[in-house]
Each structure stands twice: as C-alpha cells, then as structure tokens.
Amino acid sequence: MTKRSWIWAAVLVVLALSLALNFFFIGYAAHGLRQAAVARGLLAEVAGAYSPEVRKEFRTVTRDNRARTFEALRQLRAARADLTAAEKARPFDEAAVSQAMAAVRAATTNLQATVQDYLLAAMKNVNAKPAGGG
C-alpha cells in the first residue's frame, strides 16, 4: 500500500468511529429523553387533581428529587423484565414467576410511595407559606 492509501484508510476508520460514537450518543440522549417523558407523564397524572399551587410545588419537589424518581422507575422496569424472563423460561417455574410478580408489586409500591412522598411534601410546603404567596 502506498502512503496515500494508508492515509485514506485512516481517514475512513476515523470517520467510521465518529459515526459510531455519534449514533451511540444520540441513542443515549434519546433514552434519557424517553425516561424523562415517562416521569413527566406519571407526575402529570398524579398532580392533575390538585390546585395550581400544589402542582407547581410538586414539580419543584420532584425536580429536586429526580435521581430518586428515576431509580424507582429503573427498579420497576428491572422487576418487569425479570417477570418477563421468568414467564418465558422453560420449563415453566411457577415459584419463580410468583416471586417475580411479588418483586413487581414491591417496585410498584415503592414508586407510588415515592411520588406520594413528593405530593405530601408539596402540600406541606404550600400550606406553610403565608397566604399572600410570599
């Protein structure tokens, strides 16, 4: 190979690596956006029945505790994946499926308790503020 062909080969390798990294980072960013959208939908559903002041404070409390919320969502997603794997396992193991279902229930309860903690904190914060909104 000539020096020129080596240079072209190196350029093509660098371009391929660049494209691969771009696709990886785009996928990573899209995953983060999808997680945020799921969390927003959940929070909107929970807070929708409350006053605008409580909803605003709820968003603030939730934003301040974003890591805890995402961890609870990750735990639920992992428990659901384990349940799917247990259901598909051959031979069928009723005890494993039952255990996986219990883990999904526990993760669901944890997520619900987490969001309710935020809602309670928001209500307490709103009610602790002076009537003038100060």
Side-chain angles (χ1 to χ4, degrees):
M1 286 182 96
T2 66
K3 184 176 179 179
R4 189 174 204 172
S5 62
W6 278 106
I7 291 173
W8 276 108
V11 167
L12 289 176
V13 167
V14 168
L15 286 174
L17 284 172
S18 175
L19 282 172
L21 287 173
N22 282 332
F23 284 124
F24 172 77
F25 287 122
I26 288 169
Y28 184 77
H31 175 71
L33 291 173
R34 188 176 65 232
Q35 262 192 330
V38 168
R40 270 194 309 275
L42 172 70
L43 301 177
E45 183 178 322
V46 170
Y50 300 97
S51 71
E53 296 82 14
V54 170
R55 288 195 304 260
K56 181 179 178 188
E57 185 64 24
F58 179 72
R59 283 191 301 272
T60 300
V61 170
T62 303
R63 191 176 17 241
D64 293 345
N65 294 284
R66 185 178 304 142
R68 181 178 168 203
T69 307
F70 284 152
E71 180 57 31
L73 284 167
R74 276 190 290 277
Q75 288 173 0
L76 179 57
R77 195 172 297 120
R80 286 180 176 163
D82 291 346
L83 175 58
T84 299
E87 182 270 327
K88 291 180 179 180
R90 296 291 174 251
F92 180 74
D93 184 352
E94 183 179 351
V97 171
S98 221
Q99 185 177 9
M101 286 178 169
V104 169
R105 278 192 303 277
T108 302
T109 299
N110 179 49
L111 178 60
Q112 185 171 6
T114 298
V115 172
Q116 287 176 347
D117 287 349
Y118 300 161
L119 185 58
L120 179 60
M123 289 175 181
K124 285 173 27 180
N125 292 348
V126 166
N127 287 309
K129 292 179 181 174

